[in-house]
Amino acid sequence: MTDPSLSNPDLIPTTAAQRTWRWYHFAALWVGMVMCIPAYTLAASLIESGMSWSQAVGTVFLGNLIVLVPMLLIGHAGAKYGIPYAVLARASFGTQGAKLPALLRALVACGWYGIQTWFGGQMVYTLAGVLMGQPLGGDPLPGLGISAAQLTCFLIFWALQFWFVLHGIESIRKLETWTAPIRIVICFVLLGWAWNKAGGFGPILDQPSAFVEGGKKAGQFSAVFWPSLTAMVGFWATLALNIPDFTRFAKSQRDQLVGQAIGLPAPMGLLAALAVFVTSATVVIYGKALWDPVDLASRMTGAAVLIALIVLLIDTVSVNLAANLVGPAYDFSALAPGRISYKAGGILTAGIAIVMMPWKILASTEGYIFTWLIGYSALLGPVAGILIVDYFVLRKTELVVDELYREGGRYSYRGGWNGAAVIAFAVGVAPNIPGFLNAAFPAAFPEVGAAFKALYTYAWFAGLAIAALVYGVLMAGKTQPQLARTAP
């Protein structure tokens, strides 16, 4: 018998009829999320830091190969039991304690959802200007700081996504499946356009690494590589937690394993290579490197600019819905299952995106918002470590699913909270806080010690390892693998 305060129709295990996702659906999901503006521009920061194009692409690929591991491990529970992330977390944090990691995941997703919606609105703004033959312009509105045209374009893009919010996760699956092949073709078309227009790929490919002997940063490769690798891992670290929200719809365990393995590391590395090749060609075509695909699209002529901007719009919708809507929709639902459904959670996420006015956050933080959001990996890494140790090491992948939805059972611990998980989480986060504050607010926290800065270089790895170790020690002998029983 499930407790109404812990379950609703969206949180209970998926039925066999709902498990329709095959491996190619997961591969398409990842291709859809990978093909986005932030992922396209990732290589830019690495090349600007001194890496050669091959080092930059290799770092992106390796980072995504690493994050694939927790993605597959945590996704296993979703495919086996049909439960979302917010419910899986109850096994380790407790029936009430699980609201903590759910809320943490939801908040960062809301931040990303708002910012990606703003970027999408800017693309609508650019597209409208191209179609009208001149920039829209206009004076900033009092209190908002953006023009009426910018606000209108933001709300248009918001409304476009809202249709998918109302039509549920199945509509998102269909969007990803049908658009993924189109975007792959468009990428090669863009590559061919750049090659033809520039007569080759140009200067960036010829640029050697700054870390080689005699280079500007000779011998400093490790100092740049490790924080860059952590950032690459952090790019998808949030999704590594709530991947059960998708794998719970998998037809089989093999489908989620094969689909994710095909869909994440290789496409991410290929997109980085594409970005490098095309940007290198823009140096020849326009006289400077254009890493921003929206800027590049706006400089094209004829039908090319229209096609490019429409594809970018589809890309942004796809990644925003999959990466930043599904997770918080389930997480908000888990906070109050009796009052908040998956759809209501999605509406709440979309509403917060407007209220937060993401353009003001971007302007006021002078770009540090990205340090904030990517730095969240330091906060979520410990959660991943706890989930993996609890599910694989302590419980040997066996859960009594009925009791995840009932107070007073084995997952209620003390008052619904597992003190061991809370302590492990706190211990895993604590060492990274000084480095995080220094990275996000350097002017306010300039005196952070070198040791803390160095540790923050490995924030996600350190947080995951520390929390996993502490949790394993505190729970040793207290959790025995149980014979799994699925909820009806």
Side-chain angles (χ1 to χ4, degrees):
M1 189 72 178
T2 59
D3 188 327
S5 68
L6 293 175
S7 66
N8 63 32
D10 296 309
L11 294 177
I12 61 175
T14 50
T15 63
Q18 291 175 299
R19 299 189 178 206
T20 59
W21 290 45
R22 304 309 300 260
W23 68 268
Y24 46 84
H25 292 125
F26 286 102
L29 173 75
W30 275 112
V31 170
M33 289 192 288
V34 163
M35 302 295 176
C36 64
I37 294 173
Y40 182 97
T41 57
L42 274 179
S45 62
L46 301 182
I47 287 177
E48 288 171 2
S49 68
M51 289 189 183
S52 65
W53 76 268
S54 57
Q55 289 173 334
V57 171
T59 301
V60 171
F61 176 80
L62 180 59
N64 284 274
L65 193 63
I66 291 172
V67 82
L68 177 66
V69 175
M71 203 80 71
L72 296 177
L73 293 178
I74 296 175
H76 185 280
K80 184 173 183 178
Y81 297 106
I83 56 177
Y85 154 71
V87 172
L88 172 63
R90 293 172 184 172
S92 51
F93 281 84
T95 49
Q96 296 301 315
K99 294 178 179 179
L100 171 63
L103 186 60
L104 290 174
R105 172 65 183 95
L107 290 177
V108 69
C110 286
W112 270 117
Y113 188 87
I115 289 172
Q116 289 277 23
T117 301
W118 170 249
F119 286 156
Q122 287 295 90
M123 277 182 272
V124 174
Y125 182 83
T126 301
L127 179 58
V130 170
L131 294 176
M132 296 180 66
Q134 62 181 21
L136 299 183
D139 296 326
L141 295 172
L144 291 179
I146 57 175
S147 68
Q150 287 176 303
L151 177 61
T152 300
C153 292
F154 171 74
L155 293 177
I156 288 173
F157 190 77
W158 181 90
L160 176 65
Q161 297 178 118
F162 196 69
W163 186 91
F164 291 95
V165 174
L166 296 178
H167 287 77
I169 193 169
E170 186 63 14
S171 66
I172 297 175
R173 179 186 69 83
K174 291 178 180 178
L175 173 70
E176 301 288 357
T177 303
W178 285 103
T179 60
I182 297 173
R183 278 175 283 177
I184 293 173
V185 171
I186 291 295
C187 283
F188 283 103
V189 170
L190 179 61
L191 195 64
W193 170 86
W195 172 273
N196 181 65
K197 197 81 172 176
F201 288 128
I204 293 178
L205 298 187
D206 297 329
Q207 182 177 313
S209 169
F211 307 112
V212 298
E213 189 174 345
K216 293 181 180 179
K217 298 183 178 180
Q220 300 178 35
F221 179 75
S222 293
V224 173
F225 171 75
W226 285 109
S228 298
L229 185 65
T230 302
M232 295 306 109
V233 172
F235 192 78
W236 293 121
T238 51
L239 203 62
L241 286 182
N242 76 282
I243 196 63
D245 297 343
F246 296 97
T247 60
R248 67 195 298 244
F249 296 98
K251 189 79 172 176
S252 68
Q253 196 68 249
R254 179 181 178 276
D255 283 306
Q256 75 96 0
L257 290 169
V258 173
Q260 291 203 86
I262 292 174
L264 178 56
M268 197 75 179
L270 289 174
L271 183 70
L274 171 76
V276 171
F277 294 159
V278 173
T279 303
S280 189
T282 63
V283 177
V284 178
I285 301 169
Y286 300 108
K288 63 177 181 178
L290 300 178
W291 287 100
D292 182 353
V294 178
D295 185 14
L296 174 59
S298 67
R299 293 169 185 261
M300 294 179 179
T301 57
V305 63
L306 182 63
I307 294 172
L309 286 169
I310 289 175
V311 170
L312 287 172
L313 281 171
I314 295 173
D315 286 348
T316 305
V317 169
S318 296
V319 71
N320 210 21
L321 291 171
N324 303 317
L325 175 79
V326 175
Y330 279 120
D331 294 338
F332 284 131
S333 180
L335 296 180
R339 295 189 297 273
I340 306 176
S341 64
Y342 168 84
K343 184 181 292 186
I347 293 172
L348 181 60
T349 302
I352 292 174
I354 295 179
V355 174
M356 68 183 291
M357 293 191 284
W359 57 88
K360 283 200 169 187
I361 294 178
L362 287 169
S364 63
T365 57
E366 298 177 348
Y368 291 133
I369 187 66
F370 291 103
T371 303
W372 263 78
L373 293 175
I374 295 177
Y376 237 91
S377 66
L379 200 59
L380 299 184
V383 178
I386 292 169
L387 293 184
I388 292 170
V389 167
D390 183 82
Y391 180 66
F392 278 94
V393 178
L394 300 178
R395 304 188 192 277
K396 312 298 184 186
T397 76
E398 298 297 335
L399 299 174
V400 182
V401 177
D402 295 19
E403 297 198 11
L404 291 170
Y405 298 89
R406 186 166 65 241
E407 291 288 13
R410 74 187 72 226
Y411 305 120
S412 290
Y413 298 99
R414 184 171 297 180
W417 289 77
N418 183 4
V422 175
I423 292 171
F425 172 74
V427 174
V429 170
N432 284 315
I433 291 178
F436 171 75
L437 293 174
N438 176 258
F441 309 105
F445 299 91
E447 302 300 325
V448 171
F452 286 113
K453 290 181 181 179
L455 181 65
Y456 188 67
T457 298
Y458 313 93
W460 183 83
F461 299 95
L464 185 149
I466 293 171
L469 179 62
V470 172
Y471 183 76
V473 170
L474 293 178
M475 291 294 289
K478 297 180 180 179
T479 304
Q480 296 297 324
Q482 302 291 331
L483 181 62
R485 290 188 286 114
T486 57

